[in-house]
Amino acid sequence: MQFLENFQPELTITSPGRINFIGEHTDYNMGYVLPTAIGNKITFKFSRNDSYNECNVFSVGYQGFSFDLKEIAVSDVQWENYILGVISEISKLTDKVRGFDCTIESNLPLGSGLSSSAAMECGLAYGLNELFDLGLSKLAMVELSQRAEHTYVGTQCGIMDQFASVMSKEGHVILLDCRSLEYQYIPIHIAPYKLIMLNTKVSHNLASSEYNTRKMECEQGVAILQKSNPEVMSLREVTRAMLEKGKSEMPSKVYDRCSFIIDENDRVIAMTEALKKNDLKTVGSILYTAHEGISNLYEVSCPESDFLVDFTKDNDAVLGARQTGGGFGGCTLNIIHENAVDAFIKEASEAYKNKFNIELEAFEVQPSGGTQVI
Ligand code: GLA
């Protein structure tokens, strides 16, 4: 692209991916989540270009595209929609954005359940807020980025990924109540254990449509339970007793989905307590129980993730493991003793290659800070 020849960025922003300790699919059910940003991130470089409307965006590895601020519409190229969606949502709040040039570079594996999409949306929103002095709060940027995903990308996601990308704090996880948006930072000390991600390298294309289906199934459960419990607004307010009472009125799949969400919310609270007490054995066992639910009740796992989680079970150096993120592939999160990490990765990679003929990717992550100006 032509602007690259003389590009002199005036602003650099980094926007991280995230992991979620526990609390999967609870965000759009108004429950709790426990995510944190990680060191893998997207770097944006920005410059105003003195035009009124013309914008140029170049993504290393993807090529670039140009657009006119006055003619924003959904693109056939999916990654462009992360950009266009954010611009469209910002334009509903302010008319201060002008022409700009931007380069994007990422060391965040895409489509791996580490929320590269939220990192993209939030990094752009944060950058434009700085560049044009838009005066948006962090929460406003989180919320507009989430809306961009709904309107331009088509996934009816909750708020966890955008919140984690912007609001995270180094060395902590965020206990976020997705109903009130109240949050607390919980310090995390897991030495001599490490957080190791195993990337299945599969991202089954069911993900977006099945995600929206899960959301609808949860809403169906709420609608059935509301008949006898009019105070219930979301699965957050549903107790185990209410669900068991309504079981006969709902399709078994809807019951399973609701059952998972109720347990998963409880697991977030139990995990928070275990982390506060440094009770790593409990932390690990909660991960395993959660994966059972992800696989059997919520049915958002896949053979590759199940294989990697099962593979850890005979290894005493692994405290726990589960698939993290929206599902159908991506990464598993593993808590492994530091002395055993190298041998574990070697064995898991061989076993995975034998079974699926895919080269496993393994890397350590650390709870890191959120989106920032460099
Ligand atoms: C995706 C969504 C989040 C959340 C997770 C599952 O990452 O973007 O809002 O629902 O899936 O926990």
Side-chain angles (χ1 to χ4, degrees):
M1 293 183 88
Q2 212 187 340
F3 84 90
L4 292 168
E5 287 164 22
N6 304 311
F7 188 46
Q8 294 198 333
E10 49 182 310
L11 174 71
T12 302
I13 300 283
T14 58
S15 188
R18 63 99 190 90
I19 56 168
N20 184 20
F21 247 77
I22 197 81
E24 231 50 279
H25 295 270
T26 45
D27 59 355
Y28 54 82
N29 286 301
M30 300 298 122
Y32 297 105
V33 291
L34 203 63
T36 174
I38 55 174
N40 300 64
K41 52 189 175 266
I42 303 183
T43 303
F44 293 77
K45 296 193 167 149
F46 291 94
S47 184
R48 286 166 289 188
N49 63 17
D50 298 330
S51 78
Y52 207 76
N53 288 337
E54 193 195 312
C55 303
N56 303 297
V57 175
F58 177 79
S59 173
V60 177
Y62 273 90
Q63 294 180 330
F65 74 114
S66 300
F67 54 91
D68 187 315
L69 284 173
K70 296 278 178 253
E71 289 168 25
I72 299 294
V74 174
S75 164
D76 294 337
V77 183
Q78 186 64 312
W79 81 267
E80 296 179 2
N81 287 321
Y82 297 111
I83 306 288
L84 297 168
V86 167
I87 304 273
S88 161
E89 290 301 327
I90 289 182
S91 72
K92 293 177 190 163
L93 303 173
T94 167
D95 59 3
K96 280 168 126 188
V97 176
R98 297 285 178 270
F100 67 90
D101 299 330
C102 168
T103 62
I104 299 172
E105 196 162 1
S106 172
N107 68 359
L108 189 55
L110 299 183
S112 56
L114 299 176
S115 225
S116 50
S117 41
M120 184 81 108
E121 293 147 2
C122 295
L124 181 68
Y126 209 97
L128 295 181
N129 187 49
E130 291 287 326
L131 201 63
F132 296 106
D133 206 7
L134 305 181
L136 299 172
S137 67
K138 283 187 173 183
L139 187 58
M141 291 187 265
V142 165
E143 289 179 329
L144 79 85
S145 296
Q146 181 196 16
R147 288 196 299 273
E149 182 115 4
H150 293 181
T151 52
Y152 269 62
V153 181
T155 307
Q156 298 302 313
C157 66
I159 201 165
M160 168 172 75
D161 299 348
Q162 292 79 9
F163 199 95
S165 188
V166 173
M167 304 296 286
S168 286
K169 181 169 164 184
E170 195 178 340
H172 295 74
V173 287
I174 310 175
L175 172 61
L176 171 66
D177 177 339
C178 298
R179 184 170 62 184
S180 65
L181 296 186
E182 280 169 17
Y183 63 98
Q184 286 175 47
Y185 293 111
I186 312 290
I188 170 160
H189 305 287
I190 61 161
Y193 288 83
K194 289 190 181 286
L195 295 175
I196 304 295
M197 307 307 292
L198 298 181
N199 186 354
T200 61
K201 301 249 195 81
V202 297
S203 69
H204 294 284
N205 51 13
L206 285 171
S208 187
S209 61
E210 286 293 315
Y211 185 96
N212 293 343
T213 305
R214 292 299 174 281
K215 184 163 185 263
M216 272 161 37
E217 288 166 335
C218 291
E219 285 162 2
Q220 211 182 326
V222 169
I224 293 167
L225 294 168
Q226 270 171 342
K227 288 186 209 148
S228 351
N229 308 276
E231 73 283 11
V232 162
M233 304 305 290
S234 68
L235 285 182
R236 168 69 177 276
E237 290 88 38
V238 174
T239 61
R240 172 61 56 186
M242 278 179 203
L243 180 65
E244 295 310 321
K245 229 169 140 204
K247 182 174 180 178
S248 58
E249 290 163 50
M250 49 181 79
S252 69
K253 288 240 177 281
V254 171
Y255 170 80
D256 286 350
R257 308 305 189 227
C258 297
S259 190
F260 169 77
I261 295 297
I262 291 171
D263 290 346
E264 186 76 351
N265 257 324
D266 291 345
R267 281 191 283 266
V268 179
I269 302 306
M271 178 70 93
T272 305
E273 289 313 308
L275 285 173
K276 283 183 180 164
K277 289 191 220 141
N278 278 353
D279 176 0
L280 297 184
K281 228 173 141 216
T282 302
V283 167
S285 75
I286 296 174
L287 292 182
Y288 280 133
T289 322
H291 190 80
E292 293 286 307
I294 286 169
S295 190
N296 300 324
L297 295 178
Y298 218 66
E299 295 183 289
V300 293
S301 187
C302 60
E304 294 86 352
S305 296
D306 288 345
F307 177 85
L308 287 176
V309 171
D310 284 343
F311 184 79
T312 64
K313 285 187 176 158
D314 298 331
N315 190 328
D316 290 343
V318 185
L319 292 183
R322 71 173 190 85
Q323 177 189 262
T324 182
F328 304 102
C331 288
T332 62
L333 167 67
N334 303 265
I335 304 190
I336 307 181
H337 194 283
E338 60 186 7
N339 296 340
V341 167
D342 292 346
F344 170 78
I345 291 176
K346 191 163 175 282
E347 284 162 24
S349 303
E350 280 167 14
Y352 193 65
K353 172 93 184 175
N354 280 340
K355 176 85 179 166
F356 297 104
N357 200 23
I358 301 174
E359 299 290 342
L360 191 65
E361 184 187 9
F363 52 99
E364 185 187 349
V365 291
Q366 262 138 16
S368 304
T371 316
Q372 55 181 296
V373 178
I374 296 295

